[in-house]
Amino acid sequence: MKIKSVNLETVIGVTSKIPENTLPEFAFAGKSNVGKSSLINAIMNRKSFARVSAQPGKTQTINFYNINEELYLVDLPGYGYAKVSMETKEKWGKMVEKYLHKSQMLKAVFLLIDIRHEPSANDVDMYHWILSNGFEPIVICTKSDKISRGAADKQLKIIRTKLKTVPGTKLIPFSALNKNGLEDVYALMDSLIEECKDGQNLQS
C-alpha cells in the first residue's frame, strides 16, 4: 500500500450521526496508552497526523481518516483509563456500539494489546464484544521492540490463551519504532480491500 493522501475527514461525538461512507472502513480499538495513534500514524506514513493525547482517556470522539480516497482508518476512543468517570465510559461504549452496528462499510476491527503484558479484563471484554457484534478482531500486539523474540513468542501464546481467541484469529506483533509488522498490516488491509472490490463487481 502506497500512501498518497491523508485527510481527517470526519470527527463524531456521542450524539453525532454515523457517516454514510462509501469506502471500506478499518477500525482501531485499544486501551489508552497502548500505542493506537502510533500505529495509525505508521499506517498513514505520517509522524504525528493522529495526535497522541497528553491526557490519557481524553479523546472522546471517533475520528475518520480518509486514505488515498480508497479507505478510512477509524480511530475509536481508548478504553480502560481509571480516572474517567463511569458515566463517560458508558457514553463511549454506546457510541462505539452504535458505530459497530450502523456502519455499512466497516470491514475489520483491529484490537491493540501491549505485547509486554497479559491482556486486561477490559481487553478480554473488548475482544468478545467485537466478536458479538459480528466481527473477528485482528489483534495487533504493540511495542514488540521492547522485548526479545523469545519473550515475544511466549507473550503471544499468553495473549491468545487469555483472550480465548477463536480459531483463525490473527495476532500481529508490531513496533512503531522499527515498523516491524507494518507490512503484515498493509497486506491484510490490501486483501480486504480487494475482497470489497470483488464483491462490488459481482453485484454490478
Side-chain angles (χ1 to χ4, degrees):
M1 179 183 294
K2 185 176 181 180
I3 305 301
K4 301 174 184 176
S5 65
V6 174
N7 177 38
L8 176 55
E9 186 173 291
T10 310
V11 177
I12 66 170
V14 174
T15 60
S16 303
K17 182 180 178 182
I18 302 298
E20 296 179 0
N21 293 322
T22 58
L23 300 174
E25 297 172 2
F26 299 90
F28 296 80
K31 287 193 302 186
S32 300
N33 285 345
V34 75
K36 189 153 50 66
S37 294
S38 296
L39 171 62
I40 293 173
N41 281 325
I43 294 172
M44 297 191 297
N45 195 25
R46 300 293 189 273
K47 287 187 176 180
S48 58
F49 201 94
R51 294 291 180 177
V52 179
S53 176
Q55 180 180 342
K58 188 176 181 180
T59 303
Q60 301 182 30
T61 58
I62 299 177
N63 302 329
F64 292 77
Y65 296 92
N66 186 318
I67 310 299
N68 297 344
E69 298 295 331
E70 293 179 346
L71 62 103
Y72 289 95
L73 303 184
V74 183
D75 187 3
L76 303 176
Y79 59 81
Y81 190 60
K83 292 184 180 180
V84 174
S85 69
M86 185 58 67
E87 180 183 3
T88 299
K89 291 177 182 177
E90 289 177 355
K91 286 181 179 179
W92 290 358
K94 290 178 182 178
M95 179 169 62
V96 173
E97 186 170 27
K98 181 171 72 171
Y99 168 67
L100 293 179
H101 283 165
K102 294 194 174 182
S103 171
Q104 299 299 309
M105 296 304 295
L106 179 58
K107 302 305 176 185
V109 181
F110 292 84
L111 175 61
L112 279 65
I113 292 176
D114 189 328
I115 197 170
R116 300 171 298 175
H117 307 298
E118 183 176 300
S120 68
N122 283 323
D123 292 326
V124 176
D125 288 344
M126 179 59 75
Y127 175 84
H128 290 281
W129 188 53
I130 294 169
L131 279 175
S132 70
N133 278 279
F135 299 93
E136 184 173 316
I138 300 159
V139 181
I140 305 295
C141 302
T142 62
K143 307 184 182 182
S144 65
D145 57 282
K146 305 292 186 183
I147 60 176
S148 67
R149 177 71 64 84
D153 291 341
K154 180 180 178 181
Q155 286 300 114
L156 290 174
K157 292 178 181 178
I158 291 173
I159 290 170
R160 193 177 289 279
T161 299
K162 183 70 175 181
L163 292 179
K164 297 180 180 178
T165 56
V166 298
T169 296
K170 295 181 177 64
L171 271 66
I172 301 176
F174 171 77
S175 166
L177 181 66
N178 57 35
K179 304 301 186 291
N180 282 348
L182 184 58
E183 288 302 321
D184 294 328
V185 175
Y186 278 150
L188 188 54
M189 293 174 66
D190 283 339
S191 67
L192 290 168
I193 292 169
E194 286 302 314
E195 288 179 13
C196 295
K197 291 178 180 178
D198 291 343
Q200 290 174 350
N201 290 336
L202 289 173
Q203 293 173 4
S204 60

